[in-house]
């Protein structure tokens, strides 16, 4: 039988789930009750609500980094396996959506963290032969990250409404399934038939020093 995780880990898992369900203003006593500890023990381990939220941010980034890096280096089989594992991801996804919904500097920092991580695992995807290089890797990572998060955020219940984590996995599957075909088509069969618009933009941009890439090397 696997030993029970230490108190700080139980608190962190409970916080991710409780904040996902009720929002970032959920009472710490509810987190403590979920974790089977006293509210004072939360303060002992994390110091304050904001520091607990920061720990939740770090955990969300770590899990996302691990998942995306595996997909970028492991190919289609890993991608499909991860899509089938959305039940485990539900509290983290729910927490991230609540953090974005709340807005403010902490949400901005979380997005910046996702972008920084995406830049790294996109580079790993390039090395693995799954992705083509970009003229501006960080800008590409930011656009794709914000598109993905924005698509999820548009579907989220109002900020004060509870989020049902039991229903979230089924909703995530439906959301991913509705996006998968058009997104993969867009990424593998470019929307524009040729590069004339890109070439014209680069020619008119005085800050651009990159020559147009051909279909043969990268886009």
């Amino acid at each position: 039988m696997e030993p029970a995780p230490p108190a700080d880990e139980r608190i962190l898992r409970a916080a991710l789930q409780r904040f996902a369900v009720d929002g970032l203003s959920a009472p710490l006593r509810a987190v403590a009750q979920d974790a089977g500890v006293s509210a004072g023990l939360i303060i002992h381990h994390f110091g304050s609500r904001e520091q607990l939220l920061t720990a939740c941010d770090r955990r969300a980034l770590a899990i996302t980094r691990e998942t995306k890096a595996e997909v970028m280096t492991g190919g289609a089989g890993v991608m499909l396996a991860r899509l089938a594992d959305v039940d485990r991801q539900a509290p983290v996804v729910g927490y991230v959506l609540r953090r974005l919904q709340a807005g403010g500097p902490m949400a901005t920092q979380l997005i910046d963290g996702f972008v920084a991580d995406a830049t790294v695992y996109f580079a790993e995807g390039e090395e693995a032969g799954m992705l083509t290089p970009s003229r501006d890797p960080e800008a590409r990572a930011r656009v794709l990250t914000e598109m993905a998060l924005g698509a999820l955020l548009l579907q989220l219940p109002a900020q004060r409404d509870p989020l049902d984590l039991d229903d979230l996995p089924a909703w995530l599957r439906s959301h991913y399934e509705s996006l998968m075909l058009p997104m993969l088509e867009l990424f593998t069969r470019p929307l524009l038939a040729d590069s004339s618009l890109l070439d014209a933009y680069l020619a008119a941009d005085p800050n651009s020093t990159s020559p147009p890439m051909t279909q043969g090397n990268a886009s």
Side-chain angles (χ1 to χ4, degrees):
M1 181 177 179
E2 186 176 346
D8 57 342
E9 177 64 20
R10 297 202 311 274
I11 291 168
L12 185 56
R13 294 179 187 180
L16 281 166
Q17 182 147 331
R18 178 56 57 184
F19 291 144
V21 171
D22 292 335
L24 304 189
S25 61
L28 291 186
R29 63 179 180 275
V31 175
Q33 183 175 1
D34 295 343
V37 302
S38 67
L41 199 58
I42 294 179
I43 302 303
H44 171 75
H45 282 291
F46 294 96
S48 67
R49 173 188 295 274
E50 285 306 311
Q51 291 182 48
L52 177 58
L53 287 167
T54 298
C56 289
D57 287 354
R58 287 196 297 264
R59 176 59 58 86
L61 283 168
I63 291 175
T64 304
R65 184 185 307 123
E66 174 190 358
T67 300
K68 297 298 184 182
E70 286 181 4
V71 170
M72 289 301 170
T73 58
V78 174
M79 179 188 73
L80 295 175
R82 283 300 188 181
L83 289 176
D85 193 28
V86 294
D87 296 74
R88 187 173 66 89
Q89 301 175 33
V92 172
V93 172
Y95 171 80
V96 168
L97 293 176
R98 289 303 198 190
R99 171 60 94 183
L100 297 176
Q101 197 175 48
M106 295 300 290
T108 300
Q109 290 179 29
L110 182 61
I111 293 171
D112 289 344
F114 281 129
V115 171
D117 285 346
T119 303
V120 172
Y121 55 70
F122 282 175
E124 293 171 351
E126 291 175 15
E127 293 177 4
M130 287 191 65
L131 299 180
T132 56
S134 170
R135 289 180 174 83
D136 191 336
E138 183 177 351
R140 178 174 68 174
R142 181 168 294 278
V143 167
L144 293 175
T145 297
E146 292 178 353
M147 286 172 58
L149 294 175
L152 284 169
L153 192 57
L154 285 172
Q155 307 298 324
L156 191 65
Q159 187 169 345
R160 296 184 181 277
D161 293 342
L163 181 64
D164 191 335
L165 289 189
D166 291 334
D167 291 340
L168 186 59
W171 180 87
L172 286 172
R173 287 192 189 91
S174 176
H175 177 75
Y176 291 151
E177 288 170 2
S178 69
L179 292 180
M180 192 57 60
L181 176 59
M183 292 302 290
L184 287 176
E185 183 180 63
L186 182 63
F187 292 154
T188 58
R189 299 179 180 180
L191 179 65
L192 299 176
D194 58 50
S195 65
S196 57
L197 289 178
L198 174 61
D199 295 343
Y201 172 80
L202 293 173
D205 182 1
N207 297 317
S208 174
T209 58
S210 301
M213 294 182 179
T214 65
Q215 186 68 25
N217 65 37
S219 57

